[in-house]
């Protein structure tokens, strides 16, 4: 896993300027959240740091599901 993360880091550093940085950043945040969710609940859900301005569709639906208790 570490090698794959190292390769990703290298590719991100070498990405051309025209790369859609906002989309890549949103995808990385989404992946990080899903990775953290695999560890199970980290508490009562208070203080969720989801930035609603930057959240993608999947993150928004996940938040709605958690708030409504459907997940």
């Amino acid at each position: 896993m570490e090698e794959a993360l190292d390769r990703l880091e290298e590719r991100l550093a070498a990405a051309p300027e025209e790369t859609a940085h906002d989309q890549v950043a949103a995808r990385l945040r989404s992946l990080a959240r899903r990775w953290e969710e695999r560890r199970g609940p980290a508490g009562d859900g208070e203080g969720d740091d989801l930035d609603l301005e930057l959240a993608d569709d999947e993150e928004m639906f996940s938040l709605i599901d958690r708030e409504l208790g459907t997940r």
Side-chain angles (χ1 to χ4, degrees):
M1 184 68 72
E2 288 293 321
E3 290 176 14
L5 291 172
D6 289 342
R7 287 192 308 273
L8 175 61
E9 184 176 13
E10 290 170 8
R11 293 193 66 185
L12 290 171
E17 240 355 89
E18 63 271 6
T19 300
H21 291 280
D22 292 339
Q23 289 174 328
V24 171
R27 180 79 186 273
L28 290 170
R29 282 191 298 275
S30 177
L31 289 170
R33 280 191 186 89
R34 283 187 279 165
W35 180 255
E36 288 297 320
E37 288 173 359
R38 289 179 59 178
R39 293 189 335 178
D44 61 5
E46 293 296 321
D48 191 340
D49 63 352
L50 179 65
D51 186 338
L52 298 178
E53 294 292 324
L54 299 175
D56 61 21
D57 292 345
E58 183 176 332
E59 292 169 323
M60 291 299 290
F61 286 120
S62 179
L63 174 64
I64 292 167
D65 288 342
R66 284 193 310 271
E67 291 297 317
L68 297 177
T70 59
R71 266 206 221 185

